[in-house]
Amino acid sequence: MKTLRLSAAAAVASLILTACGGPPGTPQVDLSETSPEEAFANVTDERLLNARATPEEWLSYGGTYDEQRHSYLTRISTENVADLGVAWTYDLATSRGVESTPIVVDGVMYVTSAWSIVYALDAVTGEELWVHDPDVDRAVGVNACCDVVNRGVAVYEGKIYVGVIDGRVQALDAKTGELIWDVVTVDQTRPYTITGAPRVVDGKVLIGNGGAELGVRGYLNALDADTGQLIWRFYTVPSPDKTPDGAASDSAFETVGNVTWGDTGAWKTDGGGGTVWDSIVYDEVNDTVIFGVGNGSPWNQTMRDPSGLDNLFLSSIVAVDADTGAYKWHFQTTPGDNWDYTATQTIILAELPLGENGALRRVAMQAPKNGYFYVIDAATGEFIQGAGYVPQNWTTGLTPEGRPIEVPEARYAEIPYLQTPGPLGGHNWHPMAFNPDVGLAYIPAQEIPQAYVEDPRFQEDSTKWNTGADFAAGVPPVIPSEVFKFLRSGLKGRLIAWDPVANEPRWTVEHEGPWNGGVLSTAGGVVFQGKLNGEFAAYDAATGEELWVHDVKSGAASGPGTYEIDGEQYVTITTGWGSAYLLSAGGVAAPQPVPPAVGKVVTFKLGGDQVIADIDIPMVEPTPKAEEFGTDEQLAIGLVQYARNCTVCHGPFAVSSGVLPDLRWSAYTASAEAWKGVVADGNLQSIGMVSFADVLSTDEIEAIRAYVVQQAHNPDGINEAIEGGAP
Ligand code: CA
């Protein structure tokens, strides 16, 4: 898109203004002819390129192409943020996970909820304009590793683009919500999902997918914004026989990729992973699309590819030509990924004084799951510097090229390795922000250790969770209860203000636990972040001092946004429980008791006086539905099979966080026949509980029922186990 690239002079002017702290960039076109009355999402390439100069709007997932999530609005500042109150709320009508960052353009907010449903709201009042439901078959919910979430839409030339959880991408009319086009972007016989927000660059809709916990081959698609037609595709893993796909990635595999994969292993049938499920940024200076690549499939490299080679482009940051998708460079954060160490986390572009004699250098920054904060050259991918942003014990450091120096034991086999970060990462999908005025990146960081051990019953080519790591290794008595207690005491969360030039933290704020929200930075000197406990907070950007906090009565994990209409600045966040941690850690880690929360959009303004409605769903006292049964041997089988097959959705020890049913109280536990009807025969497939007959025998299914019923009768034992005693 040579014609749209910012001129060198404009780019330099933008840098100078950034350095001076004022709103950078100058609109390249006259936007005054756009009238909100006639225009819905009339977003052009020019508007996207100049988004920093129009902070009244929030035009794309990360706010601007560089995805700094830093707004130049200043009406809300450190001086008055304590006066923020609720302007309006909107009910997203879901108890599932909500991860969406609202887009605001021409006075309208476009926001998504669980199951990829899109809402258009009046951004001043919250009044509903339209709702679009893609009518997803709920059975695909089992493919979603981390709940049926969606992180938001893209807007461009009157259309709204949404990635649908079943692998479709849709274009909607921004004014009416009517469907314009609908394309399938994945092989729907494989367990692909889409949870990420599309981005639009020069008439192309960029979107990847997820599914690497179950077994897929990752790629990034560029679709024609007018028609949905595929323009280019970049695969992140070679084809099974390493032959060309006829895709944009072919030359990358011929030159650097194929030699990093062996000729045997589960990657050939499982797809190898490498899904592009979150971060995609556009570097207009270099006309480059830079995206983050996920973990290997299966996780365990011995099973995925026994060669032990680097396995490009897993866990890498990859740069391609925006027009053609042709390979430009890559930087691999975790060679030979073995731990679910995705590099899909927020990528932020910025100019930092890291050149010769302190000259500005254009960089990409990322805090991926593996615990290291990286600063690399945006033009070449060259490693500039990096350092651990959370404690880690899988390496002893980085080489001068940025390659991790591994601790050999971290390549677990039969002997478990107690590792931090675990698969949920030192930082997950919760968006990071960067304030160029104070030069700090704000990382929603966490510590969630994991006992990694090889899964003895791994099978190739499954469509269920299929990582090659044994999840029973996290549960007493499979592991000693002291180890479990140690793991649990290691759960931590904090907001880190990271100085990417000094390569160290400037300040940190400790939270009650992990899985806190995404971050918004503003030129008012304020940093906003939600917390797992339902508080939405504002901090001083320079010091971390807490300036304001508001209880949103739900989870507050999403990336907040801000916009201004008629001289009033608003701060907005989507709320709700769900997503990976609350499902997989269940009621054991979630604040107790977790109500069946309802997702919302909550929008604040100075002096706002609205009240967030209480969740008014009566809590029924749960009771076991069957008498205890089963031999000790049967109960032991039930525990292990539950841990391997059920924990990631229904919670450890059969204790749910409340997002999905707590099986202990399920009426289906009352009868072996009814239980088998669900688990083996798929009787609840229509609401997302598909058959497990391909991975569990009839005896194992009944053993799981015995274990679940035992847990229903055994609250003291569960509490003891959680606290570190015998279960
Ligand atoms: Ca993963």
Side-chain angles (χ1 to χ4, degrees), residues 213 295 299 340 342 369:
E213 271 56 63
N295 56 278
W299 294 355
D340 191 19
T342 65
K369 279 188 181 178

Side-chain angles (χ1 to χ4, degrees), residues 49-68:
L49 284 165
N50 290 289
R52 279 199 293 182
T54 54
E56 305 79 28
E57 320 216 77
W58 191 278
L59 293 180
S60 59
Y61 181 67
T64 50
Y65 272 141
D66 53 22
E67 305 234 350
Q68 293 184 353

Side-chain angles (χ1 to χ4, degrees), residues 36-41 108 110 120 129-131 158-160 172-178 180:
E37 285 75 33
E38 59 200 36
F40 281 81
V108 180
Y110 302 94
L129 304 178
W130 53 257
V131 180
K159 296 187 190 70
I160 307 301
L172 312 176
D173 184 308
K175 186 174 183 180
T176 63
E178 277 163 32
I180 295 174

Side-chain angles (χ1 to χ4, degrees), residues 308-499:
L309 295 168
D310 283 357
N311 292 172
L312 289 174
F313 297 95
L314 299 182
S315 303
S316 299
I317 299 169
V318 177
V320 300
D321 181 272
D323 289 330
T324 64
Y327 168 82
K328 286 192 170 179
W329 55 258
H330 75 275
F331 175 79
Q332 190 172 39
T333 61
T334 306
D337 171 48
N338 200 40
W339 308 276
D340 191 19
Y341 279 171
T342 65
T344 52
Q345 281 58 44
T346 319
I347 297 167
I348 290 178
L349 302 171
E351 281 77 27
L352 298 180
L354 286 167
E356 278 187 41
N357 302 318
L360 289 180
R361 188 167 178 185
R362 189 164 175 82
V363 305
M365 294 180 274
Q366 189 188 49
K369 279 188 181 178
N370 75 10
Y372 281 99
F373 189 98
Y374 296 92
V375 182
I376 62 177
D377 189 293
T380 64
E382 182 194 346
F383 173 74
I384 299 173
Q385 59 186 18
Y389 65 91
V390 286
Q392 59 80 25
N393 69 346
W394 70 286
T395 77
T396 56
L398 299 176
T399 67
E401 294 76 40
R403 189 182 175 92
I405 305 162
E406 287 183 19
V407 174
E409 294 77 19
R411 296 225 162 240
Y412 55 90
E414 297 88 31
I415 299 170
Y417 187 68
L418 198 56
Q419 184 160 322
T420 190
L424 289 169
H427 170 214
N428 206 291
W429 62 269
H430 313 88
M432 177 172 87
F434 176 72
N435 182 328
D437 298 337
V438 299
L440 292 174
Y442 303 99
I443 315 167
Q446 60 191 13
E447 296 178 39
I448 307 177
Q450 171 100 348
Y452 288 96
V453 67
E454 197 160 278
D455 186 347
R457 43 142 240 169
F458 172 77
Q459 56 184 35
E460 289 191 19
D461 199 22
S462 165
T463 53
K464 298 283 183 346
W465 274 70
N466 194 37
T467 65
D470 190 353
F471 282 36
V475 187
V478 178
I479 57 165
S481 51
E482 309 82 67
V483 175
F484 183 76
K485 190 177 182 183
F486 176 78
L487 286 171
R488 215 173 120 62
S489 69
L491 298 174
K492 295 187 170 74
R494 66 184 63 95
L495 175 61
I496 301 175
W498 184 267
D499 183 335

